[in-house]
Amino acid sequence: MRYGIVGTGYFGAELARVAAALPEGAVTRVYSPEHAIPLAQEVGAQVAADALEVCIADDVEAVIVASPNDVHVEPALAAAAAGKHVFCEKPVALSYADAASMVGAARTAGVTFMAGHVTQFMHGVREARRRIADGEIGRLLVAQAARTGWEPPAEQVSWKKMRERSGGHLFHHIHELDLVLAVMGAAERVVMSGGNLAHRGAGHGDEDDVLLAVLEHEDGSRSQLQWGSAYRWPEHHVTFQGTLGAIRVDLQDVGVTMRTERGTTTWPLHSSWAEDAERREEYAAASGGGGVTYGAPGARPPGWLRRIMREELEWFEDVVAGRLEPERALAGLTDGQAALTSIATAEALTISLAEDRKVSTAEVSG
């Protein structure tokens, strides 16, 4: 698979390294307004003059879109129109209309469109989903998720802290929402409260630093989620409560625990307890809590993250090559459904916050 890369920041650069290191992978074109040259030299690629060149180049078969969140749409559409497969980092777009246009273009062109929801590739998450699907915690009643911490002022404010560019915590940290929807099913109605309570002025962006959401799912179950950087007691977990037990995916203390009447069972979140320990130490060292920290261009992601990034790109390649029929639990990542469901829900939550009312997701998705 010959890859073109659009966006070479923290995630885009590492995805390029991962793609170049795959047994059947190569990176041929790279574009970024700022960081393309050193990465191109590292992975043996040409520096493209713009994103369009990456998308239409004859020596590119798949385009990885890892630019800032507000500029995913055009390269994804151009790549699909040119017959290229698309791997798009999360959130794939900042509106349902844009996400639908991207997924629709890929379907029309007959190419694969995959959303980079990397949390789905954590070994512990996949085991949790298997056990839930097998009925080990019974009928699902409620999911709870939190990704919170405290952020001090920054010398340079990242685009990730500006709502128009990143979508704020709700969109940029869409992993927890995506996982809840994947397990609990689509939400019919949603409501959200929040605001920017502690992060105004120099050194801060304009995103809300407290978001509190409630989802009503199609089967009557409920979910409650919170995000933000105004929390001095950080948390990062997703918990599923059922009639026979509960499973907590803990991304801060790191590990997965299932409790039922038969007892307590634990397993690693990542591929080993050693990787879990690495993540735990990283979070402990982070200022205010690892759940709301951001990688900077030029920095390398930790080993546990590089591993699952490799696994998601390997899975992408196998699906594109027809070597793998997507398992049910992950099929939504490559048929566009996971992207559409998560973005529709996030947009409905945004409307709820702005208009102070409960919103049906059908208002967004039709």
Side-chain angles (χ1 to χ4, degrees), residues 81-327:
K84 319 294 186 182
H85 303 287
V86 179
F87 178 97
C88 186
E89 257 308 315
K90 61 78 203 164
V92 299
L94 300 183
S95 73
Y96 180 81
D98 283 344
S101 71
M102 297 158 75
V103 172
R107 290 176 178 170
T108 298
V111 298
T112 297
F113 178 92
M114 179 167 171
H117 292 168
V118 71
T119 299
Q120 300 278 13
F121 289 87
M122 294 177 183
H123 292 199
V125 168
R126 295 178 75 170
E127 176 65 9
R129 293 192 64 181
R130 183 192 67 78
R131 289 174 178 266
I132 291 170
D134 287 347
E136 293 192 34
I137 64 169
R139 179 170 57 86
L140 291 170
L141 302 173
V142 63
Q144 303 152 285
R147 184 172 186 158
T148 61
W150 179 266
E151 287 182 320
E155 291 185 10
Q156 292 186 321
V157 178
S158 168
W159 64 266
K160 298 174 184 178
K161 311 307 299 175
M162 308 305 294
R163 278 184 293 183
E164 285 192 4
R165 302 221 65 194
S166 72
H169 287 286
L170 174 61
F171 282 86
H172 196 68
H173 290 151
I174 206 165
H175 294 297
E176 290 71 33
L177 179 61
D178 169 64
L179 178 56
V180 164
L181 294 169
V183 174
M184 303 294 289
E188 286 191 334
R189 290 170 299 277
V190 304
V191 64
M192 187 165 73
S193 178
N196 187 349
L197 307 185
H199 291 80
R200 300 188 183 96
H204 299 295
D206 65 354
E207 66 177 352
D208 292 322
D209 58 13
V210 171
L211 294 172
L212 307 167
V214 175
L215 315 182
E216 298 176 2
H217 299 280
E218 295 170 344
D219 64 355
S221 60
R222 300 289 193 271
S223 296
Q224 61 184 56
L225 305 93
Q226 59 182 329
W227 299 265
S229 55
Y231 295 75
R232 288 290 189 175
W233 191 299
E235 295 180 272
H236 195 184
H237 67 85
V238 182
T239 304
F240 298 101
Q241 309 272 5
T243 54
L244 300 178
I247 288 178
R248 169 165 287 204
V249 177
D250 198 318
L251 299 103
Q252 179 170 285
D253 293 331
V254 194
V256 186
T257 302
M258 181 176 73
R259 295 177 182 173
T260 68
E261 292 181 354
R262 297 187 299 274
T264 299
T265 305
T266 62
W267 58 90
L269 175 63
H270 297 293
S271 65
S272 67
W273 290 113
E275 281 195 353
D276 281 17
E278 177 190 13
R279 181 174 186 152
R280 192 178 306 115
E281 291 170 4
E282 176 199 356
Y283 268 37
S287 174
V292 296
T293 58
Y294 299 86
R300 292 291 301 274
W304 60 264
L305 182 51
R306 295 199 298 268
R307 177 186 292 273
I308 54 176
M309 292 168 77
R310 185 180 73 241
E311 291 185 5
E312 69 173 347
L313 273 192
E314 288 174 339
W315 196 80
F316 173 71
E317 281 199 359
D318 285 344
V319 171
V320 167
R323 294 189 294 262
L324 178 69
E325 185 68 27
E327 61 187 87

